[in-house]
Amino acid sequence: DSDGSSNFMVSPWTLLSMRVTALGMQAVVAALVCIHVSAPSLLFKADGGNSLSFCACPKCGSTSYLVALHKSIIGRPYKNQHNANGRPIYVHAVDKWGDTRVRRSSVPGKVHIHVIRDPVDRYISAFHSKLRCCPGVQRGGCMAEERDAARIVRSILRATGNSSSAQCMHLDDFAQALLKAKRLNRLDQLNNHVKPQTFACLYDNSYHPDVLLEGTAADLAPHVRNLTGFNFKGGPIIVSRSHATNRNHQGRFGKDAFMVTPFAMQALCRVSQDEYRAFGEHLGNTSNAMACHSILAGRTSPDDERRKQQLRLMSSDSDDTG
């Protein structure tokens, strides 16, 4: 929007209860209680006094949202740059955007966007994207993206006291390692790509945004698009998928090569309990949340729920927007 107004509005939405006052639209939200302080990925201070902050953990849609924010704030699409050593500078390095109004901060803006994702889906996505071993080996990686893979595996091994030199993981091993890290209270030591969302996007709890937009990447996209009052150079924030992790490798290894086993499903459900509790308002009705609730309550077996979820979990990464 380019009206230059210092007020902002959002279109009607259901994620938060809203009330209209003489001063504009104000969110009625519960205070966020955060023990740790972790900076939002981006804070944009617009002309006129409005401010917008954004945070999404890896594998939750961060790339897609940052690409869209760059286009709106800077006024042109983002193009990967390179540092003096020839290494790429990705859109996540917001301090490299070349605009003094954009920076990292532990203080949220007046409007704060927090993108979350179903945790079981996110762990499965991270496995295929960054961790997956080829069947029957410990070193031959079949992950979709090799960038950061070794560092992520090392963080898992360290957190669980494993001295292995493995460079990739099988799904059962990954799920078991996450469960062990939880039992050892070391989930916070994991790489951000596999660290639970409850450890991400926390900020100084002495500050509270006027409006908190919290939900999945797909659910928030239309509401983010309708934000006004920020005088965006590039127009509305239009979020589209930047990339998706392909989980379908049946042609190379056979249809059962990367099946989600009953053990993996149950372990991932246990690891995800805190995330479902924290974000139940937005994730409680997902198919994985309901499956995990049934598994952990003993009403159905992991094998039964695994069969129901298999086609969706092993299909292309439809919910991952970056």
Side-chain angles (χ1 to χ4, degrees):
D1 183 80
S2 59
D3 63 8
S5 169
S6 62
N7 294 320
F8 61 83
M9 295 188 68
V10 294
S11 62
W13 48 292
T14 59
L15 296 180
L16 295 174
S17 299
M18 308 294 288
R19 63 184 173 89
V20 178
T21 71
L23 297 178
M25 189 171 283
Q26 180 177 354
V28 182
V29 298
L32 299 178
V33 179
C34 301
I35 299 174
H36 304 283
V37 175
S38 178
S41 297
L42 175 149
L43 176 65
F44 167 60
K45 289 194 172 183
D47 299 334
N50 280 345
S51 57
L52 174 70
S53 56
F54 162 81
C55 191
C57 62
K59 307 306 296 178
C60 288
S62 58
T63 302
S64 295
Y65 269 74
L66 286 170
V67 166
L69 285 162
H70 183 280
K71 173 66 167 57
S72 294
I73 294 171
I74 306 301
R76 62 181 183 274
Y78 183 80
K79 292 183 179 180
N80 283 345
Q81 307 170 52
H82 292 81
N83 63 19
N85 297 320
R87 295 180 179 177
I89 301 173
Y90 297 101
V91 69
H92 305 77
V94 299
D95 54 325
K96 303 295 185 182
W97 284 13
D99 191 320
T100 57
R101 300 173 302 165
V102 178
R103 61 185 176 86
R104 295 183 180 275
S105 174
S106 60
V107 178
K110 291 182 178 179
V111 178
H112 183 57
I113 304 167
H114 180 201
V115 182
I116 58 176
R117 186 177 183 184
D118 177 275
V120 172
D121 260 355
R122 178 172 171 261
Y123 291 128
I124 293 289
S125 175
F127 164 74
H128 285 284
S129 175
K130 303 291 187 180
L131 301 170
R132 185 176 59 199
C133 279
C134 298
V137 301
Q138 290 294 328
R139 289 185 173 273
C142 283
M143 65 282 293
E145 305 171 36
E146 292 189 6
R147 180 168 62 95
D148 299 324
R151 184 169 56 189
I152 297 169
V153 172
R154 284 197 300 270
S155 80
I156 297 170
L157 297 177
R158 281 197 303 266
T160 55
N162 190 326
S163 59
S164 167
S165 61
Q167 299 175 356
C168 58
M169 303 187 81
H170 297 287
L171 183 56
D172 277 11
D173 296 332
F174 172 50
Q176 184 177 36
L178 289 177
L179 191 57
K180 183 175 181 179
K182 179 178 182 177
R183 289 169 177 163
L184 294 173
N185 292 317
R186 295 178 182 171
L187 286 171
D188 61 328
Q189 299 178 21
L190 300 177
N191 179 276
N192 287 334
H193 285 81
V194 292
K195 185 183 296 184
Q197 296 169 86
T198 46
F199 293 102
C201 296
L202 307 179
Y203 50 79
D204 189 333
N205 66 357
S206 62
Y207 298 89
H208 301 292
D210 293 335
V211 172
L212 171 64
L213 299 177
E214 182 175 80
T216 65
D219 288 343
L220 288 185
H223 309 302
V224 169
R225 181 172 184 165
N226 287 329
L227 284 172
T228 64
F230 291 96
N231 197 24
F232 291 128
K233 291 181 181 179
I237 304 170
I238 301 175
V239 181
S240 58
R241 183 185 302 173
S242 291
H243 62 82
T245 302
N246 184 5
R247 305 180 186 186
N248 186 357
H249 287 261
Q250 295 181 5
R252 183 177 176 188
F253 296 110
K255 65 179 183 179
D256 296 331
F258 301 112
M259 294 285 282
V260 180
T261 65
F263 173 85
M265 187 70 186
Q266 186 170 53
L268 292 176
C269 285
R270 293 192 180 282
V271 171
S272 300
Q273 279 181 296
D274 291 341
E275 292 171 84
Y276 282 128
R277 277 194 288 263
F279 306 117
E281 178 183 359
H282 311 300
L283 302 177
N285 291 325
T286 66
S287 56
N288 284 332
M290 292 186 286
C292 285
H293 183 72
S294 295
I295 290 172
L296 298 178
R299 291 198 295 268
T300 185
S301 72
D303 192 42
D304 290 339
E305 290 299 336
R306 187 266 301 174
R307 290 191 185 99
K308 293 178 185 177
Q309 302 296 336
Q310 192 64 52
L311 290 177
R312 190 181 63 80
L313 288 174
M314 298 302 292
S315 65
S316 62
D317 214 352
S318 58
D319 290 334
D320 180 16
T321 55

